[in-house]
Amino acid sequence: MRLLYFAWVRTRIGLAEEEVSPPSHVTTLGELVAWLGTRGPGHAAAFANHSALRFAVNQEYVGLDGKISPGDEIAVFPPVTGGRT
Amino acid sequence: MIRVQQDDFDPGAEIARIAAGNTRVGGVASFVGLVRDMAGESSISAMTLEHYPGMTEKALAAIEREARERWPLEDCLILHRYGRLLPGDRIVLVVTASAHREAAFDACRFLMDWLKTKAPFWKLEETAAGARWVAAEARDDEAAARWVRE
């Protein structure tokens, strides 16, 4: 499964993308985020506060209860900011 | 039509192109977003727009489809830049063309409000105190919420 990180999620983890193979009990985004948080201090910092994160599965916005599959492209990022114009 | 690009654009040329050859168009509305040099109390020296290639285009296309369902548009352009921009630089252009002005005005405003909350762009501001990611603003959600149909 291909993971993409954007904005401060990317800078905290120190990676723009990575390929991961989570254990088979990880079937939702929420479970994936909990598992990713155990991968290292950068991941732990980036995934500490779920409410500050947004997700896309195969380029569609999905909530934490969304289902995931091994071939998915999963993106994690902060709320989008078109603001201040 | 959707365009996501690093390069600057010419608003006049884009606006002229929208109505060219289509005499059903009675009005063209446009909005150009620029990089400001201030955010609250801090002065901004540059701003970098990060986006999600692929999803950005999909999200903008979905926003355009929504506008075309709501208003009788003859044509529509959403052009968004990414990369490092300086104060005064153009960021975004929305152009809408319709037979009458109401649809053009309303659709233009709708497109701006929706793209600010739904398109995957993130802003990194450079200030004297360092670089910082811009947080989402409730004000933008409120602006977008105005267009939610009951």
Side-chain angles (χ1 to χ4, degrees):
Chain A
M1 147 184 320
R2 186 167 173 236
L3 295 178
L4 304 176
Y5 304 124
F6 293 97
W8 58 254
V9 179
R10 172 176 57 74
T11 55
R12 276 185 202 174
I13 294 174
L15 290 171
E17 60 178 278
E18 62 181 327
E19 198 67 40
V20 298
S21 303
S24 57
H25 66 79
V26 172
T27 60
T28 67
L29 266 177
E31 289 161 359
L32 177 69
V33 169
W35 177 75
L36 286 170
T38 65
R39 285 171 66 83
H43 287 76
F47 296 114
N49 180 7
H50 294 183
S51 68
L53 299 173
R54 299 293 180 271
F55 310 91
V57 175
N58 300 324
Q59 304 188 351
E60 302 280 349
Y61 291 108
V62 173
L64 277 171
D65 55 351
K67 292 283 175 197
I68 54 169
S69 308
D72 286 345
E73 173 179 299
I74 295 172
V76 186
F77 43 77
V80 304
T81 52
R84 289 197 172 146
T85 312
Chain B
M1 196 200 319
I2 302 301
R3 270 159 58 199
V4 181
Q5 63 186 47
Q6 198 156 7
D7 294 340
D8 193 17
F9 53 84
D10 177 347
E14 301 298 342
I15 291 166
R17 194 172 304 147
I18 282 276
N22 183 348
T23 48
R24 290 185 303 274
V25 172
V28 178
S30 63
F31 178 87
V32 180
L34 306 174
V35 179
R36 273 208 307 262
D37 65 355
M38 292 294 288
E41 296 300 302
S42 25
S43 166
I44 291 166
S45 54
M47 192 183 76
T48 299
L49 270 164
E50 181 169 327
H51 78 119
Y52 181 173
M55 183 172 171
T56 306
E57 289 81 357
K58 276 191 190 176
L60 293 178
I63 295 166
E64 177 182 357
R65 277 198 303 279
E66 181 71 28
R68 285 179 180 272
E69 278 175 23
R70 294 185 184 210
W71 290 279
L73 298 179
E74 290 291 332
D75 207 349
C76 166
L77 170 68
I78 306 172
L79 196 170
H80 211 300
R81 294 180 69 191
Y82 62 89
R84 190 169 181 272
L85 303 173
L86 301 176
D89 283 353
R90 288 177 277 264
I91 310 172
V92 61
L93 170 69
V94 170
V95 187
T96 51
S98 187
H100 301 286
R101 70 180 181 281
E102 291 83 0
F105 274 134
D106 289 353
C108 187
R109 184 158 192 172
F110 164 85
L111 286 166
M112 271 311 301
D113 285 349
W114 267 40
L115 81 83
K116 283 160 72 81
T117 57
K118 296 182 190 300
F121 286 98
W122 301 275
K123 290 177 172 171
L124 180 72
E125 291 176 343
E126 294 172 34
T127 71
R132 63 179 184 210
W133 291 99
V134 177
E137 292 198 21
R139 204 176 60 193
D140 289 324
D141 287 333
E142 286 158 17
R146 281 192 308 124
W147 301 100
V148 172
R149 290 190 280 206
E150 299 300 326

